[in-house]
Amino acid sequence: MNLNAEFLSKMFLIVQRRMMDKQGAQPIRIVSYRNPLNHLLMVIMLMSISIMNPVIAQESKSRVVEDGGTGKFAAIMESDPTLPTHTVFRPQDLGLFGESEKLPIIAWGNGACANSPWEHVNFLSEVASHGFLVVAIGPMPAEGERTNEKSLSSQLIDAIDWAIAANEDENSPFFRKLDTSKVSVSGMSCGGLQTLESAPDPRVTTVVVCNSGILGNPGQGMPGMPGLKKDHLEKLHSPTLYLLGGESDIAYNNGMDDFERINHVPVYVANMDVGHGGTYAQEHGGEFARVATAWYLWQLKGDQEAGKLFMGDPSGLAASPEWTVQKKMMP
């Protein structure tokens, strides 16, 4: 198996972290993957872990969500055997991407800190169909499958690490097809808090927080929620979008308070009166997918037409009777 050494190294670290999270194991230290002996040792250990954990050794599997989305690149949802801890949403035909057009990277965190994107598959497939690689926390769910297993914010960083490594590995289907200079962390509810916790990563170029916001009293959240304090917002360094479900959204006050406190980066908040559940399960992800996709097209692909939804005074989205919007530091 002729795999790139740096790619193997990053995959080893991801697998090791997940094994530690689940089993409380101690990390195995490898001084340098560039040393041939250490490289060989790493390969052996990865193979051993795959044997002990059959899910890691599984073959790639995929399926189409709805009709693959409304974008010009019909999307699929798949389990990649090199990252079985996550679910990938991407255009079916990767041959359309390369030097002339690349796929920006979106790492997604799920509601309830769930270790599965089952609640968001329509939304994420729709986004991917517009020419994005979406890497969601949690193994690919079977049809109708739901899980209560919890996830960690670090899995968003794992998703970014994996995508960047895959782009550099000549044996990966994503080799030189990804735009690693355009990266978003995004998520809903508890996944929105995971997003905010991960947002300071210097590789992140835009942030999307859905139905979420930092609690005034961090200890009052559900178990497993990142215990962020409001001063964490000062660590944001890229344009940020909040999508909220109006005053009936349990996260409305937290999200709006975040918006009021953010004064150092461009920030846009849009409210639609649908409550905490958003429109993710609607056909093609509903209005939340439409607005989020426009933001990604603008921020990650430089699409100025899509950006008109957020630019101007009033911005394009303000004309919609379904949305109430505010913004700061934006054109």
Side-chain angles (χ1 to χ4, degrees):
M1 186 179 295
N2 181 26
L3 293 178
N4 177 278
E6 186 169 357
F7 178 75
L8 278 170
S9 175
K10 291 179 179 179
M11 292 308 97
F12 175 80
L13 292 175
I14 290 171
V15 172
Q16 173 178 266
R17 185 184 297 168
R18 295 299 292 148
M19 296 287 285
M20 290 168 63
D21 291 340
K22 290 180 175 296
Q23 301 176 7
Q26 294 299 309
I28 302 169
R29 298 192 64 188
I30 293 180
V31 178
S32 171
Y33 61 78
R34 300 188 188 280
N35 181 300
L37 291 177
N38 289 332
H39 183 193
L40 178 60
L41 176 61
M42 182 174 64
V43 173
I44 293 171
M45 284 188 287
L46 276 170
M47 292 176 65
S48 299
I49 291 172
S50 296
I51 292 171
M52 290 185 293
N53 189 354
V55 72
I56 294 177
Q58 68 185 355
E59 291 296 319
S60 174
K61 58 181 180 179
S62 66
R63 72 172 186 268
V64 176
V65 176
E66 297 185 290
D67 54 4
T70 66
K72 63 180 181 178
F73 308 107
I76 59 170
M77 173 175 66
E78 71 176 356
S79 173
D80 191 296
T82 65
L83 193 69
T85 54
H86 292 63
T87 303
V88 173
F89 298 80
R90 64 162 178 87
Q92 294 184 44
D93 187 358
L94 291 177
L96 299 173
F97 299 91
E99 290 303 317
S100 60
E101 181 161 8
K102 294 181 181 290
L103 296 161
I105 300 162
I106 301 170
W108 175 266
N110 310 300
C113 296
N115 194 44
S116 171
W118 66 266
E119 189 177 7
H120 309 289
V121 295
N122 290 4
F123 173 92
L124 298 176
S125 175
E126 174 64 19
V127 170
S129 76
H130 291 266
F132 298 95
L133 173 71
V134 182
V135 187
I137 289 176
M140 180 177 137
E143 195 76 52
E145 178 186 10
R146 301 185 179 189
T147 178
N148 294 320
E149 184 182 353
K150 299 302 180 184
S151 62
L152 298 170
S153 301
S154 61
Q155 289 172 261
L156 291 173
I157 304 303
D158 289 346
I160 297 171
D161 289 345
W162 173 81
I164 291 175
N167 186 65
E168 297 168 356
D169 187 75
E170 61 184 10
N171 295 293
S172 168
F174 300 105
F175 179 54
R176 294 182 179 175
K177 298 181 184 295
L178 307 182
D179 186 349
T180 58
S181 70
K182 298 296 183 181
V183 177
S184 174
V185 284
S186 306
M188 181 263 182
S189 192
C190 181
L193 290 176
Q194 292 176 331
T195 292
L196 287 167
E197 186 168 33
S198 304
D201 188 298
R203 298 169 297 183
V204 170
T205 56
T206 191
V207 175
V208 177
V209 179
C210 303
N211 307 98
S212 190
I214 296 176
L215 282 67
N217 184 346
Q220 292 183 341
M222 63 178 284
M225 272 189 174
L228 303 179
K229 297 181 180 180
K230 289 291 186 177
D231 60 4
H232 181 83
L233 296 169
E234 298 171 8
K235 299 179 182 179
L236 294 174
H237 62 83
S238 58
T240 300
L241 171 68
Y242 279 77
L243 293 180
L244 304 174
E247 294 185 13
S248 62
D249 185 344
I250 193 173
Y252 173 80
N253 289 331
N254 301 328
M256 291 305 298
D257 184 65
D258 282 8
F259 172 79
E260 293 298 330
R261 291 171 183 262
I262 297 171
N263 295 299
H264 64 292
V265 295
V267 58
Y268 192 102
V269 60
N271 271 281
M272 182 181 180
D273 189 18
V274 290
H276 193 59
T279 66
Y280 310 99
Q282 292 180 16
E283 184 177 2
H284 301 127
E287 274 290 295
F288 273 47
R290 181 179 77 88
V291 175
T293 297
W295 180 270
Y296 293 133
L297 287 168
W298 180 38
Q299 292 294 322
L300 299 178
K301 290 194 170 192
D303 186 331
Q304 296 301 304
E305 189 64 30
K308 290 180 181 179
L309 209 60
F310 311 99
M311 294 188 289
D313 188 16
S315 61
L317 190 58
S320 170
E322 296 182 287
W323 291 94
T324 302
V325 306
Q326 296 181 58
K327 62 179 183 174
K328 297 181 186 178
M329 298 181 64
M330 296 185 66

